[in-house]
């Protein structure tokens, strides 16, 4: 464990810059914060570069598999410069962005996300895809940044559970179809779910932007476009709620 | 249309106080903001007391049924004191809280919410209950305030579409059971949805707090407690996503 005192220290400067997407991408690093996220990250220790503790942090951290991870302790004032939460728990990990290339198998369950801008929605969607046991999530243009702190918080550790890749979605859809994976788009002009045969063991679901939905270009590439029936007076559903309804509907309760 | 110039005007003072729950409850009034919400509110014009326009607001407001509604125009500086959004659209409505007593019918679909604290979650849940065509939503102790501006924003107008009442949930559950309405609690110890017979035309679903779930006391009163199966590594689902999956599962695609 090393002690860092100065806010001018080179590491501190680097970590602080990771609050911005530009520098995260430059360094290939991002920050996660709090005990729960750190414990999820520690299940894949190779993804963690360093752990930073507030000088007043107290926990049973001896149990953690931190052999190849650098550990630092910093004064509370410095910790607060790195923290992005209202009630910091005194621990931050610097994580390495994983390799983003994902193989599309012959069979598998996938989620494709076209331009979901709200970080809370994107994080909740990733958490839902994880819960539903999907193989991977593909993010197209216009999505919130995967390593934005609000995306990370809403995903509650799912960043460490499933593969997530930034892609050109039109290419990914073509690849899915080549592998005979049924691609379901979502559209207010789609057919009602109740009339749509599902393909529980192998599917790709395509979700779109909060206001505008999936782009017309992508909708024209899918196998079928569906909509969730609305029985009340609401105009639509939140996109993360839609993700949950559709993913669990498509999957059903299959093994 | 009346012009109000001074921030010391009595009406302005009252409206500004409506940013706080204490005064909303005292006056029985709350604020909604933006064109979309106003248009939803205007479908139930009796719920609107006044409309306040920024001096630079421009729209075809002549089409609106504002006969019995007081209308005011205020300087931009004053409007900003009343606004709670980052990009104000120049229109705010002062709405009257509706009568909160809700009859429980012999048959019906209901949602019961126990202690959902996050305003965004609560609003999204109400929007989802609306989309699914429920009769009413009942809010127990510990929920975010129904008229908190973030709840209103997330609900996207559903406040004007279905009945919502603050209640003592144990009483409501007893009433449901007396009416032979099947009450489904949610619990990580519940039985998997896949093994649970549903009651599509008449049910009450009980959701709980983000961290702690439904209280033990209430879980002991339900007919059956269920859980959504988790196939991946996520520990749980977001409560609003759970609401969507469960409500659409219970309802199915029945008329």
């Amino acid at each position: 464990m090393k002690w860092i005192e100065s806010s001018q220290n080179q590491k501190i400067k680097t970590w602080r810059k990771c609050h911005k997407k530009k520098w995260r991408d430059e360094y290939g690093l991002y920050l996660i914060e709090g005990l729960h996220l750190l414990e999820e990250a520690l299940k894949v220790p190779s993804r963690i570069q360093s752990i930073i503790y507030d000088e007043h942090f107290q926990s049973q951290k001896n149990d953690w598999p931190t052999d190849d991870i650098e550990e630092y302790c910093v004064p509370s004032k410095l910790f607060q410069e790195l923290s992005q939460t209202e009630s910091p728990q005194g621990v931050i990990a610097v994580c390495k962005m994983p390799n983003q290339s994902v193989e599309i198998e012959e069979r598998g369950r996938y989620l494709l996300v076209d331009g979901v801008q709200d970080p809370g929605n994107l994080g909740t969607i990733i958490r839902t895809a994880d819960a539903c046991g999907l193989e991977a999530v593909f993010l197209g243009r216009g999505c919130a940044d995967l390593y934005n702190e609000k995306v990370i918080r809403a995903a509650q550790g799912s960043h460490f559970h499933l593969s997530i890749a930034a892609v050109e979605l039109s290419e990914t859809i073509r690849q899915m179809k080549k592998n005979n994976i049924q691609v379901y788009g979502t559209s207010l002009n789609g057919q009602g779910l109740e009339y749509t045969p599902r393909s529980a063991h192998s599917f790709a679901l395509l979700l779109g932007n909060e206001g505008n939905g999936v782009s017309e270009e992508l909708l024209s590439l899918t196998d079928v476009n569906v909509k969730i029936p609305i029985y009340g007076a609401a105009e639509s559903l939140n996109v993360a709620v839609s993700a949950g309804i559709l993913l669990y509907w498509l999957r059903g309760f299959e093994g």
Side-chain angles (χ1 to χ4, degrees), chain A residues 30 40 44 47 98-102 109-113 122-139 146-147 155-165 247:
Chain A
Y30 66 102
E40 292 305 308
V44 200
R47 298 268 286 270
N99 179 344
Q100 285 220 335
S101 82
V102 175
R109 301 174 177 113
Y110 299 98
L111 180 65
L112 282 51
V113 186
L122 184 61
T124 304
I125 287 170
I126 290 169
R127 177 181 174 191
T128 305
D130 178 10
C132 199
L134 267 57
E135 258 66 58
V137 176
F138 295 93
L139 306 181
L146 181 57
Y147 301 107
Q156 298 219 349
S158 294
H159 283 69
F160 304 105
H161 302 158
L162 81 173
S163 301
I164 310 169
L247 287 177

Side-chain angles (χ1 to χ4, degrees), chain A residues 7-23:
Chain A
S7 72
Q8 294 311 304
N9 175 288
Q10 201 51 52
K11 285 189 194 297
I12 296 284
K13 283 186 178 173
T14 300
W15 297 334
R16 208 165 33 210
K17 281 185 178 167
C18 288
H19 293 167
K20 298 222 164 117
K21 171 170 166 52
K22 177 187 164 188
W23 294 105

Side-chain angles (χ1 to χ4, degrees), chain A residues 37-45 48 51 64-66 69 160:
Chain A
L37 281 176
L38 178 58
E39 280 166 5
E40 292 305 308
L42 283 166
K43 295 176 184 167
V44 200
I48 308 180
I51 301 177
W64 294 345
T66 54
I69 300 171
F160 304 105

